[in-house]
Amino acid sequence: MNIIRNKDWGMIVKTPLETQKLKCVDAIALHHMASPTADIYEVQNWHLNAGWRAFGYGYWVDFDGTVYEGRGYDYVGAGVENQNDHIISIGFAGNYQSGLEGIPLSPPVSDTQFNAGVELIAWIRGRVPSIVRVDGHRAFMATACPGDTFPLAEMISGKKRLEEKPMFKDVPESDYGYNHIKKLKDYGVVNGDGEGNFNPDAPVTRRDVAVMIANALTVAGK
């Protein structure tokens, strides 16, 4: 997980922020932007134009999985009206609410963005152990946020998705072993030659077998 600090992306603070009393923080609220294109700078402009002191969320997750630090967990946010003294807010790029007039729905949350969100939640909870609840913005006030297509329950589960890896260049889909080789690659059991090839007809040494068995046992959790 790559976190870009607020000073590095240029967060604007109009007036000093209020220090968060971490012992009072017991929840994380997840938000979407209700926009399929808004980046962190556009969102910051929305918040400043609304009269907020600074970018409102504690953290923000872009489509590519990049995490931006906003107010972090050290300062009171502005994501949930009248409840920011006990909530850290995480914003996600995209519109995940269907039926908004004139606003296209974003594609389903990608594995990359999703996994970054799961990692970020775990990272925050590791630093703020008083947190006992993770939920959508709508659980704390009357709103549809983070949207009806946002994978809320899946993200709350805390389990990362298995990211699909590009298939080996020298194994065509017509190969009778394609699906089996692909599954082993996705799980990290086989890794090829480091240049994107599997070399399906090359001989296998006892060393290769040992590595594959060890990788398989790791996946199985043994």
Side-chain angles (χ1 to χ4, degrees):
M1 179 180 65
N2 176 34
I3 299 179
I4 299 179
R5 302 301 177 186
N6 50 34
K7 65 179 181 180
D8 293 328
W9 66 265
M11 188 175 85
I12 298 170
V13 180
K14 284 188 171 181
T15 57
L17 299 174
E18 181 183 354
T19 301
Q20 182 72 274
K21 297 177 181 178
L22 291 181
K23 65 180 180 180
C24 298
V25 175
D26 61 4
I28 292 175
L30 309 180
H31 306 251
H32 78 140
M33 299 302 101
S35 166
T37 58
D39 62 12
I40 193 166
Y41 297 102
E42 185 170 358
V43 176
Q44 174 173 247
N45 287 337
W46 295 343
H47 294 177
L48 295 178
N49 290 337
W52 294 4
R53 300 182 185 191
F55 181 80
Y57 304 122
Y59 298 89
W60 196 80
V61 185
D62 210 342
F63 292 114
D64 64 0
T66 300
V67 175
Y68 292 83
E69 178 189 50
R71 302 192 189 192
Y73 52 77
D74 291 320
Y75 298 100
V76 177
V80 183
E81 189 174 3
N82 299 321
Q83 297 191 62
N84 294 297
D85 59 345
H86 74 100
I87 293 174
I88 295 172
S89 285
I90 300 175
F92 288 82
N95 171 40
Y96 300 108
Q97 177 60 43
S98 58
L100 295 181
E101 187 175 354
I103 303 177
L105 187 66
S106 292
V109 173
S110 69
D111 292 350
T112 301
Q113 187 182 29
F114 178 89
N115 287 344
V118 170
E119 287 185 32
L120 176 60
I121 291 168
W123 183 84
I124 294 172
R125 297 189 76 167
R127 286 154 179 76
V128 189
S130 55
I131 293 173
V132 296
R133 183 182 183 188
V134 179
D135 216 325
H137 185 185
R138 61 175 176 255
F140 301 97
M141 59 182 295
T143 176
C145 184
D148 56 357
T149 68
F150 187 84
L152 183 59
E154 185 186 6
M155 187 165 291
I156 291 173
S157 76
K159 185 177 180 181
K160 291 177 66 176
R161 295 173 180 170
L162 178 65
E163 294 186 70
E164 185 173 320
K165 301 178 181 179
M167 187 47 169
F168 296 115
K169 296 182 292 185
D170 58 351
V171 181
E173 288 190 48
S174 58
D175 190 298
Y176 71 91
Y178 179 90
N179 290 331
H180 303 290
I181 296 169
K182 184 176 184 301
K183 182 175 290 186
L184 291 176
K185 186 178 191 303
D186 288 342
Y187 278 102
V189 176
V190 296
N191 298 303
D193 62 2
E195 297 181 358
N197 299 305
F198 182 60
N199 298 317
D201 298 317
V204 179
T205 66
R206 294 170 70 178
R207 184 185 296 107
D208 294 331
V209 172
V211 171
M212 287 187 286
I213 292 174
N215 288 342
L217 290 175
T218 298
V219 171
K222 297 181 179 181

